[in-house]
Amino acid sequence: MADLVQKLQSNAFNLTDAQRRIAEYVIQNPMDVAFLTVDKLATMVGTSTATIMRFSAAVGYSGFSELQKELQASMKHKAAPQTRLEANLKSTTKSELMHQHVEQQYNNIQSSLDSISAETLQEIIKLIAESDQILCTSVRSGRPVGEYLSLGINRILGNSRYFNADTTDWVEDAVTFHASDLVIAVSYPRYAKRISQLLQVAKAAETKIILITDSYTSPVSKYADYILPCPSPSIGSHNSIVSAILIADYILSALAINYPERTKPRLDKINSILTEMSYHTK
């Protein structure tokens, strides 16, 4: 999307009035343009398909389909699941699904690693270790990440709870949010309003916030003290959590390794109780 906007801006003076109208519509409605037919777009803008084709050439594309393909690549993972699936059905080959899946996840992980500095991760580990209470929250596709982090942190440090932000049960606990607490939120497209509401309350209480989301431009990023961008595109219809789980797993490992004086005694006690219960099979 950023590349397309740059092309539109650099060619603005060469566009006709009708083409400028198309450019404005593209910038304001990228999701629609990414998946509309050229005929439908012409109707929406009030112009002809020929004008749209000339517009595409004027801003540096071989045709509207090439312009649309670039938009789809940047927007499809933020669309509704059925829209993502429709777009992916056009761009995937069934005989190469595994290869395309692995390539997509590799790109997600690499993008996440490129976006998160070692210094930021160190600060986050230190913040988690020093917080009184750690409250993990998420909804829907982000829920496995939030629950995994909460379970892991609580096993290691004993001061983490999980909130499903889709329910209002967190409201009673939110009134006790304190500056010494920490909220770790997971939010993916299409960004649930409940997460924003919870983070607003936490922010007002001066509670520190770590946000795991798909990019720095996420609409909930304005509430966060730390952002961990973990891209979520998949070759199906869902938000992928692979890159987020990698980062979450690293956080748990780093906590255990960096604070053994806290984690080892606790793990020993947990194991002792489980052993007395004959919890594990032999």
Side-chain angles (χ1 to χ4, degrees):
M1 181 62 185
D3 291 340
L4 175 56
V5 172
Q6 290 174 359
K7 289 178 181 178
L8 295 178
Q9 291 172 339
S10 62
N11 289 281
F13 293 108
N14 300 322
L15 301 179
T16 66
D17 289 343
Q19 290 172 347
R20 287 195 186 98
R21 284 205 316 273
I22 299 171
E24 290 175 2
Y25 189 88
V26 171
I27 292 173
Q28 294 174 9
N29 305 277
M31 189 75 73
D32 293 339
V33 177
F35 301 102
L36 285 175
T37 65
V38 65
D39 292 334
K40 185 67 173 177
L41 177 59
T43 300
M44 298 295 289
V45 181
T47 189
S48 65
T49 56
T51 301
I52 290 177
M53 297 306 292
R54 287 193 291 271
F55 159 77
S56 301
V59 295
Y61 295 94
S62 61
F64 176 68
S65 60
E66 185 184 4
L67 181 154
Q68 194 173 47
K69 186 176 181 180
E70 182 174 309
L71 266 179
Q72 288 174 352
S74 61
M75 299 302 298
K76 67 183 178 182
H77 68 287
K78 297 184 179 181
Q82 67 273 19
T83 305
R84 301 181 213 176
L85 180 59
E86 182 179 348
N88 282 326
L89 285 172
K90 298 175 182 177
S91 60
T92 56
T93 305
K94 290 184 179 179
S95 61
E96 298 181 356
L97 278 180
M98 176 57 79
H99 172 77
Q100 290 174 310
H101 168 71
V102 172
E103 183 178 28
Q104 179 66 75
Q105 298 311 321
Y106 175 83
N107 290 337
N108 289 348
I109 290 171
Q110 190 61 56
S111 177
S112 188
L113 294 176
D114 290 343
S115 301
I116 304 172
S117 69
E119 291 75 18
T120 296
L121 284 171
Q122 289 174 358
E123 291 177 16
I124 285 173
I125 300 302
K126 186 172 183 290
L127 177 60
I128 293 173
E130 293 178 348
S131 297
D132 286 347
Q133 292 188 89
I134 298 144
L135 312 166
C136 298
T137 187
S138 55
V139 298
R140 298 175 69 81
S141 60
R143 188 166 178 174
V145 183
E147 290 184 336
Y148 181 67
L149 262 176
S150 182
L151 175 65
I153 294 173
N154 196 60
R155 179 178 291 148
I156 294 170
L157 301 179
N159 60 347
S160 179
R161 286 179 293 156
Y162 176 77
F163 289 133
N164 178 359
D166 264 337
T167 70
T168 56
D169 293 345
W170 59 265
V171 174
E172 283 75 13
D173 292 284
V175 297
T176 64
F177 280 175
H178 191 270
S180 62
D181 295 335
L182 172 66
V183 169
I184 303 177
V186 185
S187 181
Y188 285 127
R190 297 177 279 168
Y191 312 111
K193 189 178 293 183
R194 291 293 191 188
I195 292 286
S196 295
Q197 293 167 334
L198 190 153
L199 295 186
Q200 286 179 41
V201 174
K203 196 72 174 177
E206 299 184 349
T207 303
K208 290 285 191 260
I209 297 170
I210 296 170
L211 176 65
I212 299 174
T213 188
D214 63 310
S215 71
Y216 286 110
T217 60
S218 165
V220 288
S221 62
K222 59 186 175 183
Y223 303 110
D225 296 285
Y226 293 94
I227 300 172
L228 295 172
C230 297
S232 59
S234 71
I235 63 168
S237 61
H238 63 286
N239 286 314
S240 171
I241 63 169
V242 172
S243 62
I245 284 292
L246 177 78
I247 296 301
D249 200 60
Y250 169 77
I251 289 173
L252 297 179
S253 297
L255 282 170
I257 295 297
N258 289 333
Y259 298 93
E261 72 284 355
R262 291 179 61 184
T263 59
K264 191 176 183 305
R266 179 171 171 81
L267 292 176
D268 286 341
K269 289 180 180 179
I270 292 173
N271 184 64
S272 176
I273 294 173
L274 291 175
T275 300
E276 289 179 8
M277 294 169 57
S278 298
Y279 182 83
H280 300 100
T281 59
K282 295 181 179 180

